[in-house]
Amino acid sequence: MANLHIKARKSPYSDTRDIPRFPVPDEKVPWSVDWSDYKPTEYTSPIVLKNPPWADDCDAKKIEKFNQVDGQVDRTSYTGSYEVDRETNRPKNPQGRTGLSGRGLLGRWGPNHAGDPLVTRWAKDQHNDKQKVLEIVLIRRKDTGESALPGGMVDAGEHVSVAIKREFIEEAMNSNADGAQLIDELFKTATSVYKGYIDDPRNTDNAWMESEAMNMHDETGELTKYLKLEAGDDAAKVKWVRLDRDHRLYASHEKLIQAVVKKLGAYEYWHGDASATKLN
């Protein structure tokens, strides 16, 4: 995922109609490229400006521990040490310019950590002419209408593995405790498949999404046979989806899924049918 971010330069800004990003051509994305005419749009959502518990102070100069664990808040980045502007004390997006400064919809200056669960099993109906096809649990997001992994933000002081499990229960099971034992067994299979920057439409020059993605694979199908899926608060729908075609998912989620497909030696659908699907 070292490619130039694309969704982080999409205009208008996420969840708005009248907040355009300053256009950033590919060659101007890196901070190392001098660009005196760069004038990013300044925007931080009114929700974030109300300073909820999950958000930093509006003044970045009050934060002294960027690139460190600051009390309960982890300000380190999976990408390594990031630059902090000397004048504003604002962190600089390690992937480069986005056309928008401030924090947008994100609470933290700098990295905002998330966890993404990739719960997979082998599809029941296989095709003889293909490698084995995987199924994965996906939700349809209420905010964008896009299909996505049922993940979410890591709370302050929370371990990412705990956050991933919590988010799956909240978003894919609507916090139903009936399947708790099944989930406990399933999550014992967890393996990390990615840690790093996420090309997210909420990203700005000074705040960005990072995630650790973990794969919980049910090899025999027994652990998920009786798993009851029910959409949570942030999801409009949840279901098992066959990975036999492209899905054009939210943010970098398609890349995360492709990593799991390769890890498990499953059918690499992106080389086949190029049509896209959505959760109906």
Side-chain angles (χ1 to χ4, degrees):
M1 293 187 200
N3 297 332
L4 294 174
H5 48 203
I6 296 172
K7 296 184 178 182
R9 289 182 283 157
K10 185 178 179 181
S11 194
Y13 181 73
S14 184
D15 204 32
T16 74
R17 294 182 179 180
D18 57 353
I19 306 295
R21 292 181 184 266
F22 189 86
V24 182
D26 290 351
E27 66 272 15
K28 298 290 189 180
V29 170
W31 294 111
S32 58
V33 176
D34 185 55
W35 191 12
S36 59
D37 293 331
Y38 180 56
K39 296 178 175 58
T41 303
E42 172 73 17
Y43 176 70
T44 298
S45 167
I47 296 174
V48 177
L49 291 175
K50 290 180 180 179
N51 202 31
W54 45 268
D56 286 333
D57 193 277
C58 298
D59 185 1
K61 292 182 179 179
K62 293 184 179 180
I63 298 173
E64 300 178 353
K65 295 185 177 181
F66 286 121
N67 286 302
Q68 302 177 57
V69 175
D70 183 7
Q72 293 290 302
V73 180
D74 185 358
R75 301 191 188 279
T76 63
S77 170
Y78 291 135
T79 67
S81 181
Y82 50 87
E83 186 179 350
V84 178
D85 186 89
R86 292 183 179 180
E87 292 185 10
T88 64
N89 202 45
R90 291 184 174 189
K92 298 177 74 171
N93 189 315
Q95 287 294 101
R97 299 179 176 96
T98 68
L100 192 139
S101 57
R103 284 176 292 163
L105 288 165
L106 299 178
R108 304 294 179 195
W109 293 104
N112 288 255
H113 295 288
D116 288 303
L118 295 100
V119 175
T120 57
R121 67 186 182 189
W122 298 112
K124 293 180 182 179
D125 299 323
Q126 298 287 341
H127 301 290
N128 293 330
D129 60 333
K130 295 179 179 179
Q131 292 171 278
K132 293 179 72 174
V133 175
L134 281 172
E135 288 184 334
I136 191 167
V137 176
L138 295 179
I139 63 168
R140 189 175 72 213
R141 293 176 63 106
K142 285 183 178 179
D143 55 356
T144 67
E146 294 174 281
S147 297
L149 297 169
M153 305 304 296
V154 178
D155 292 338
E158 184 179 38
H159 192 276
V160 65
S161 62
V162 175
I164 289 173
K165 183 176 179 180
R166 171 180 57 76
E167 286 290 341
F168 184 82
I169 293 172
E170 289 177 0
E171 299 305 321
M173 299 177 64
N174 198 24
S175 301
N176 188 341
D178 292 344
Q181 186 173 353
L182 290 173
I183 290 298
D184 287 343
E185 290 301 313
L186 179 63
F187 273 69
K188 288 179 182 178
T189 70
T191 57
S192 181
V193 294
Y194 178 76
K195 287 183 180 181
Y197 181 88
I198 295 292
D199 183 13
D200 193 289
R202 295 170 292 182
N203 290 356
T204 75
D205 286 359
N206 313 117
W208 60 91
M209 288 297 303
E210 297 189 7
S211 181
E212 178 170 4
M214 302 187 78
N215 178 218
M216 284 63 66
H217 180 63
D218 182 4
E219 180 66 25
T220 65
E222 290 299 312
L223 294 176
T224 56
K225 183 190 296 184
Y226 302 107
L227 188 64
K228 183 180 178 182
L229 299 180
E230 182 180 349
D233 289 343
D234 295 331
K237 199 174 187 69
V238 59
K239 65 185 293 187
W240 286 98
V241 175
R242 285 175 63 91
L243 294 177
D244 57 1
R245 66 198 69 188
D246 287 333
H247 299 281
R248 299 177 188 171
L249 302 182
Y250 180 81
S252 300
H253 291 186
E254 192 81 46
K255 299 269 189 181
L256 303 180
I257 289 176
Q258 290 180 8
V260 169
V261 168
K262 291 179 180 179
K263 178 178 79 77
L264 296 174
Y267 170 59
E268 296 185 1
Y269 57 87
W270 55 94
H271 297 311
D273 188 348
S275 60
T277 63
K278 292 181 68 176
L279 296 185
N280 298 314

